[in-house]
Amino acid sequence: MSTMSPLLIPAALVTRLRVARRLVVLTGAGISAESGVPTFREAQTGLWARYNPEELATPEAFRGNPQRVWEWYAWRQERVRQAEPNAGHYALVEMERRVAEFVLITQNVDGLHRRAGSHQMVELHGNLFRVKCFDEDRPVENWPESADIPPRCPHCGGLLRPDVVWFGERLPVSALQAAEQAAATAEIFFSIGTSALVYPAADLPFTALAAGATVVEINPQPTPLSPHVTFSLNGPAGAILPGLVEQVWGSASGVGGSGP
Ligand code: NAD
C-alpha cells in the first residue's frame, strides 16, 4: 500500500499544522478498515451476516441471548487479533511525537492505536479485550474455568460481558469529560473515519468548532459533519494521513529537523 499519497494537502492547512501546539484527533471504525477490521456499516460476514450490530451490541440483546452476544464478541476479538495497525494508525503515532500537546480520542474498541504506539489516548467506548460483570459493572480479569458461555463472575456468579459501551449505554464519565475538555481546547481537531452519527462522540467536533478550532475531516464518504468542517480530505485515512505528516513535518521519525 502506498504511503506517499499524491493527494495535495491544502497549503493553508499545512501552514496551520506547522505552528499548532495542541492537536486533538477523534477516530472511528474507518481508521481500522484498512487493517481488515470491518466497520459497523459494512456488511458483516459469514455466520453473523444476518444480524445488525444494533441487534447484538445492546444490553437487551445480551439479556435475550447472552451466549450469542458473547460469541459475536469472541469472533470480533479473533478478527482483531489477526489484524495489524495500518499506515493511518502509525501516522497518528508520528503526529503525537511531533506536536507539543496531543490527545487521541477513539471510539474504537480494537486496541490498534495502542498496538501502533499511541500514548495520549482516551478510549470512549471501552475495549474488546476487557471483561466486566453484567450485574455489578465491575472489571473482572480472571474467572474460574468452566464450560459456561458467557463465563460467570467470580464475585457474584452473574454473567460476564465485554467491557465496551453498547448502544443505549452511558459512556464512562471520566473518558467523556477528558474528551470534551480536549475538544474544547484544541487548536486543530481531526475527525477521522467516523460516520459522525453516534452520540455523544459526534458532538466533539462541534465543541471544537464552537471554541474556534480548525476542524479537519478525513473520510472517503461525506458525513453529517462534512458541511461544517474547515477542511475536508476525501479518501482513506491510511493514504491521507502519512502524506499529511510527510508534508507538514517531513518523513523520517526522529530526524529532529526544524523544517523549512
Ligand atoms: P461507522 O462504522 O459508523 O463509520 C465508519 C466511517 O468510516 C464511515 O463514515 C466510512 O465512510 C469511514 N471509512 C471507511 N473506510 C475508511 C478509511 N479507509 N479511512 C477513513 N474513513 C473510512 O463507525 P463509527 O463512526 O466509529 O461509529 C460506530 C460505532 O462502532 C462506534 O461506537 C465504534 O465503537 C464501533 N465500532 C468499532 C470498531 C473498531 O473498534 N474497529 C469496528 C466497528 C464498530
Side-chain angles (χ1 to χ4, degrees):
M1 190 174 298
S2 160
T3 53
M4 293 298 152
S5 164
L7 183 119
L8 208 59
I9 307 297
L13 174 58
V14 172
T15 309
R16 282 189 212 187
L17 281 166
R18 284 205 179 122
V19 296
R21 295 192 50 78
R22 185 167 170 80
L23 296 193
V24 177
V25 175
L26 170 67
T27 62
I31 195 152
S32 295
E34 289 156 88
S35 293
V37 180
T39 68
F40 264 1
R41 318 284 151 193
E42 284 169 349
Q44 293 191 252
T45 51
L47 200 56
W48 300 103
R50 63 205 155 104
Y51 297 104
N52 272 325
E54 283 85 351
E55 291 170 45
L56 294 163
T58 67
E60 294 72 32
F62 187 78
R63 272 193 207 96
N65 193 335
Q67 178 173 353
R68 181 200 289 158
V69 174
W70 182 271
E71 285 175 346
W72 182 56
Y73 276 92
W75 172 77
R76 291 182 60 194
Q77 278 185 355
E78 199 40 46
R79 289 199 67 143
V80 168
R81 275 201 194 93
Q82 288 165 11
E84 298 292 335
N86 65 58
H89 295 107
Y90 289 117
L92 293 177
V93 177
E94 192 62 34
M95 238 191 223
E96 179 172 353
R97 292 193 185 122
R98 301 300 184 116
V99 176
E101 294 175 36
F102 181 90
V103 181
L104 173 56
I105 306 163
T106 188
Q107 299 170 83
N108 293 349
V109 295
D110 57 29
L112 288 177
H113 284 303
R114 206 174 291 282
R115 274 170 59 192
S118 286
H119 293 289
Q120 284 301 320
M121 280 186 54
V122 178
E123 282 183 333
L124 271 187
H125 291 169
N127 191 301
L128 210 48
F129 296 96
R130 285 196 313 253
V131 167
K132 66 181 181 179
C133 173
F134 184 71
D135 292 333
E136 302 172 311
D137 207 41
R138 71 159 106 166
V140 171
E141 283 184 11
N142 302 298
W143 52 88
E145 278 288 318
S146 87
D148 291 342
I149 304 175
R152 297 267 168 185
C153 174
H155 307 290
C156 75
L159 297 176
L160 294 182
R161 57 163 280 181
D163 190 0
V164 299
V165 178
W166 282 332
F167 293 106
E169 292 189 316
R170 285 182 189 284
L171 274 63
V173 175
S174 59
L176 183 57
Q177 279 174 350
E180 283 169 344
Q181 158 79 13
T185 55
E187 266 174 70
I188 303 186
F189 184 99
F190 283 86
S191 178
I192 304 173
T194 167
S195 56
L197 292 169
V198 179
Y199 284 85
D203 275 327
L204 296 169
F206 290 98
T207 302
L209 276 171
T214 295
V215 174
V216 186
E217 182 175 57
I218 302 179
N219 198 313
Q221 305 290 335
T223 74
L225 175 66
S226 308
H228 306 278
V229 299
T230 328
F231 297 100
S232 188
L233 307 179
N234 299 112
I240 291 182
L241 276 170
L244 180 142
V245 168
E246 152 84 11
Q247 282 185 51
V248 176
W249 293 286
S251 55
S253 167
V255 171
S258 55

